[in-house]
Amino acid sequence: MPPALAESFKRSYGDFESYPRNLICQTTYRDAADAYYARLRGAERTLLVQDEDEIEVPFRDLLPSAQGFVKQNIFDDEALKAWLGDISIPGPVAGSTVGELATKKDPLCRFIYLYAENSREPLKLSLRMLLRILSYHQVMPIYIDFLSVFGSQAEPRDLRFSGFREQNLIKEPARGPQVEFLGRSGRQFQLCYNLKASNYISLPETKLREQEWSIRQAAIHHQFDVETGASLWIVTKGDKEIKNRIEDMNGVDGRPEDRDFSSPENCFRRTLDAHLVCCHWSVEDWRWYVRWLEESIDRATAVVFAPRNRSVPRHHFEPKDVQYVQSHEEKINVAIMILEANVNVLKSLKEFYKNLLNDKSFPWRDTCKDDIMAFSEQVKVMAYDLEMQISRAKLLVKIIGDRKALVLQHLQAQGTEKMEDLTTSMHELGIMAQKEAIAMRIITVVTVIFLPATFVSTFFSTDIVKYQNGGGFSMAALENWFEVTIPLTFVTLVLCYIFFKKSSRSKLQRLRRVLKAPASKSATS
């Protein structure tokens, strides 16, 4: 017999391309659903691959007939339909389908990994496949916000975005999407959150100043049915790191208790283990990232404490030193913001599960109390470790600010020293110019004194004036020469003196006008 699917699920999944407008349990207003609809389709070209040959979506399903998780990689939408159990085909009427939309019961535990080649490349699935996955599993629409940080991008996008969202529908009677054939009781909770981790991406032998770190993001969606113990995980990340960690935990090399899904209670315990894997990933490398920032700043700015003594060799600071310190200050501020966001997410996750112990609708308040308390304690320790890194980072921000101020002071001191050197050299040049001016003045005075005599001598030596026909001394010529030369020399000296005094007076008047102009402007203002 064909499976008896709920009509609400048929309508919802049959119209999967209108997600999230089609969800059975609407937790958002219509306008918000329309905004999510438009946002997801607007981001298609950067968020998702456009080449169908690049599609790959790993599914890991725990089926009752299998000893462990069944691994299945999906490469197109038809394969996805077949894996979900959708055997429907388009009907003769537009928008209709023929055949069953679901023929397989949900696995006891399902992991779906959405990944990319790296953190700045589009996710390896199509929009149609993404809408089918989200609609089939009735994923809360807020997960679109967590997906939007991924995709093709030149620089990391939305590093400052972080959040934790929950939807608790475990009370009776069931208020969630109830599909009996698929094993969905309708009593479930959903969680969406994202975490960020730091990763060292340079080669081991890279010099400290050239080392690079990258901030990676992971978006987690989780559903759990408190009646059947069935769980769903959608893990979105720029690579397969979390996937590999979870598979190591649930694989043949993992602990036997980590592979125990024998009862709904044990299934619930396994969800706590999966959360811890994600939390550990987000915590483990921050200590080393902060340490790298500390060492980089210490190495780059240790010379600021050296005395600025001209008699000994010293470091010459450049503007790029300030830029280097400033870039590290921005990195540590971003790290503080991310660490605080991670702490908030971890605390929210811990509080959610601790609150289940106070919820009368939660069926394992007593049997799973110790597991929840142990989980909460581990998450608390991880949050405390992140808070310690935040304290280190905040101290480093203060140190960086002080060091940057010292670097700027050294740059100013270097500029002052250069100005002093320039002033000294200009003073020396001024003394040399003064000496040259004195020498030129002496030459000028001597030239002025002898200029009339030279002129008269030259004039008398021409054929214009003649005193004798033969050689011999001529007293008349000498007397005439003195009569002309002495008055002419006197007149020349007087004229030069008048010209010099007039020029000096003119310069002095111009200087007085220049000095009076700023005073008059300031008085007017």
Side-chain angles (χ1 to χ4, degrees):
M1 288 183 60
L5 288 175
E7 288 299 322
S8 58
F9 178 78
K10 287 182 179 180
R11 289 193 301 270
S12 176
Y13 178 60
D15 190 25
F16 72 92
E17 290 188 280
S18 67
Y19 177 88
R21 299 169 175 170
N22 63 329
L23 291 177
I24 298 173
C25 182
Q26 286 287 352
T27 57
T28 58
Y29 295 106
R30 178 70 180 183
D31 290 344
D34 291 342
Y36 281 123
Y37 176 89
R39 192 180 310 154
L40 186 57
R41 284 149 186 81
E44 177 186 1
R45 297 190 64 83
T46 57
L47 178 62
L48 307 169
V49 295
Q50 303 301 305
D51 186 354
E52 294 184 358
D53 293 334
E54 298 180 10
I55 293 176
E56 182 181 5
V57 183
F59 274 67
R60 300 296 181 261
D61 291 353
L62 183 63
L63 303 177
S65 58
Q67 296 296 321
F69 282 85
V70 175
K71 299 180 179 181
Q72 181 69 29
N73 291 353
I74 306 299
F75 298 99
D76 55 51
D77 186 57
E78 288 301 317
L80 176 61
K81 281 183 60 180
W83 187 252
L84 294 176
D86 181 357
I87 59 173
S88 64
I89 59 175
V93 180
S96 65
T97 58
V98 177
E100 297 302 326
L101 294 173
T103 59
K104 293 181 180 180
K105 186 177 180 179
D106 286 345
L108 199 56
C109 181
R110 166 172 284 168
F111 286 92
I112 304 174
Y113 299 100
L114 310 181
Y115 79 101
E117 286 294 336
N118 56 64
S119 59
R120 300 182 187 179
E121 294 294 331
L123 300 174
K124 289 177 164 294
L125 77 164
S126 66
L127 178 62
R128 185 177 178 85
M129 293 174 67
L130 177 61
L131 297 175
R132 187 183 297 280
I133 290 172
L134 299 179
S135 293
Y136 185 85
H137 298 97
Q138 296 292 298
V139 174
M140 54 198 295
I142 192 67
Y143 193 56
I144 294 175
D145 284 340
F146 294 90
L147 288 176
S148 64
V149 304
F150 297 93
S152 179
Q153 51 195 285
E155 295 294 332
R157 184 168 54 204
D158 267 355
L159 282 179
R160 297 174 179 83
F161 170 75
S162 186
F164 178 91
R165 302 290 186 273
E166 62 180 78
Q167 183 190 79
N168 192 336
L169 302 174
I170 67 175
K171 297 185 182 299
E172 295 182 295
R175 295 181 295 130
Q178 187 174 6
V179 188
E180 183 177 355
F181 171 77
L182 296 178
R184 303 178 188 177
S185 69
R187 295 182 59 208
Q188 65 171 23
F189 61 78
Q190 295 191 46
L191 303 176
C192 287
Y193 61 90
N194 67 339
L195 292 167
K196 304 178 185 70
S198 57
N199 290 103
Y200 179 74
I201 58 176
S202 298
L203 297 175
E205 63 275 8
T206 306
K207 296 180 180 179
L208 180 66
R209 195 179 180 99
E210 299 173 358
Q211 290 177 2
E212 293 185 7
W213 288 70
S214 176
I215 307 300
R216 305 290 173 84
Q217 306 194 53
I220 316 298
H221 172 78
H222 173 56
Q223 295 180 15
F224 186 80
D225 192 304
V226 298
E227 286 193 8
T228 65
S231 61
L232 167 72
W233 296 85
I234 301 177
V235 180
T236 306
K237 193 178 179 300
D239 55 28
K240 297 181 180 180
E241 184 177 1
I242 292 182
K243 166 184 170 295
N244 296 335
R245 295 188 182 202
I246 293 177
E247 289 182 355
D248 289 342
M249 179 184 68
N250 294 330
V252 294
D253 296 330
R255 299 181 304 172
E257 57 268 30
D258 292 335
R259 304 193 300 273
D260 184 3
F261 292 84
S262 58
S263 66
E265 295 175 39
N266 287 334
C267 291
F268 176 77
R269 293 185 177 101
R270 302 293 79 78
T271 64
L272 301 179
D273 296 335
H275 281 305
L276 288 176
V277 169
C278 299
C279 294
H280 276 295
W281 167 81
S282 70
V283 171
E284 57 191 11
D285 283 339
W286 282 109
R287 172 190 172 188
W288 311 111
Y289 180 62
V290 175
R291 177 182 170 183
W292 170 72
L293 289 171
E294 290 173 340
E295 292 179 349
S296 299
I297 291 300
D298 287 341
R299 187 78 60 85
T301 60
V303 291
V304 298
F305 300 108
R308 293 204 62 81
N309 190 340
R310 293 195 177 195
S311 62
V312 296
R314 54 190 174 163
H315 179 76
H316 180 76
F317 289 91
E318 299 179 5
K320 67 179 182 180
D321 295 323
V322 180
Q323 294 174 344
Y324 182 79
V325 175
Q326 179 65 39
S327 68
H328 278 62
E329 184 177 14
E330 292 179 3
K331 288 177 181 177
I332 198 63
N333 281 321
V334 170
I336 290 172
M337 183 273 302
I338 293 174
L339 287 168
E340 290 176 341
N342 278 359
V343 168
N344 291 333
V345 170
L346 294 183
K347 289 182 176 180
S348 298
L349 183 63
K350 179 190 69 173
E351 290 301 316
F352 173 81
Y353 280 97
K354 289 186 72 174
N355 289 337
L356 290 180
L357 297 176
N358 300 322
D359 193 334
K360 295 180 180 180
S361 301
F362 184 61
W364 310 302
R365 286 184 299 161
D366 296 327
T367 55
C368 291
K369 180 178 180 180
D370 291 341
D371 300 282
I372 292 178
M373 295 307 295
F375 168 80
S376 300
E377 187 62 27
Q378 290 191 60
V379 174
K380 178 182 176 182
V381 170
M382 286 186 276
Y384 175 76
D385 182 65
L386 290 181
E387 288 173 343
M388 290 298 296
Q389 306 312 319
I390 292 172
S391 299
R392 287 178 62 188
K394 288 183 176 179
L395 175 61
L396 182 58
V397 168
K398 186 177 184 306
I399 292 174
I400 289 176
D402 295 340
R403 299 281 181 90
K404 184 171 68 174
L406 287 174
V407 172
L408 290 172
Q409 288 179 10
H410 279 285
L411 282 172
Q412 293 172 355
Q414 288 177 181
T416 303
E417 290 173 358
K418 289 182 179 179
M419 289 300 297
E420 290 177 355
D421 294 340
L422 182 61
T423 302
T424 302
S425 62
M426 290 298 295
H427 178 67
E428 293 174 352
L429 288 174
I431 293 175
M432 293 176 60
Q434 185 179 10
K435 292 179 179 179
E436 292 177 356
I438 294 173
M440 290 300 297
R441 187 174 298 177
I442 293 172
I443 294 173
T444 303
V445 171
V446 172
T447 302
V448 169
I449 292 173
F450 286 95
L451 180 63
T454 304
F455 170 76
V456 174
S457 298
T458 304
F459 182 77
F460 275 37
S461 65
T462 62
D463 293 337
I464 299 174
V465 181
K466 291 185 178 180
Y467 289 96
Q468 55 192 13
N469 295 326
F473 176 76
S474 174
M475 180 58 71
L478 180 61
E479 291 175 355
N480 290 336
W481 184 86
F482 275 114
E483 290 173 357
V484 175
T485 299
I486 292 174
L488 186 58
T489 300
F490 177 76
V491 171
T492 302
L493 292 175
V494 170
L495 291 175
C496 287
Y497 176 77
I498 294 172
F499 176 79
F500 175 76
K501 294 299 288 184
K502 186 177 180 180
S503 176
S504 298
R505 192 179 299 110
S506 165
K507 290 180 181 179
L508 185 60
Q509 290 175 352
R510 284 199 300 269
L511 180 61
R512 287 174 179 173
R513 285 197 298 269
V514 171
L515 292 176
K516 288 181 179 179
S520 60
K521 287 183 180 179
S522 60
T524 304
S525 60

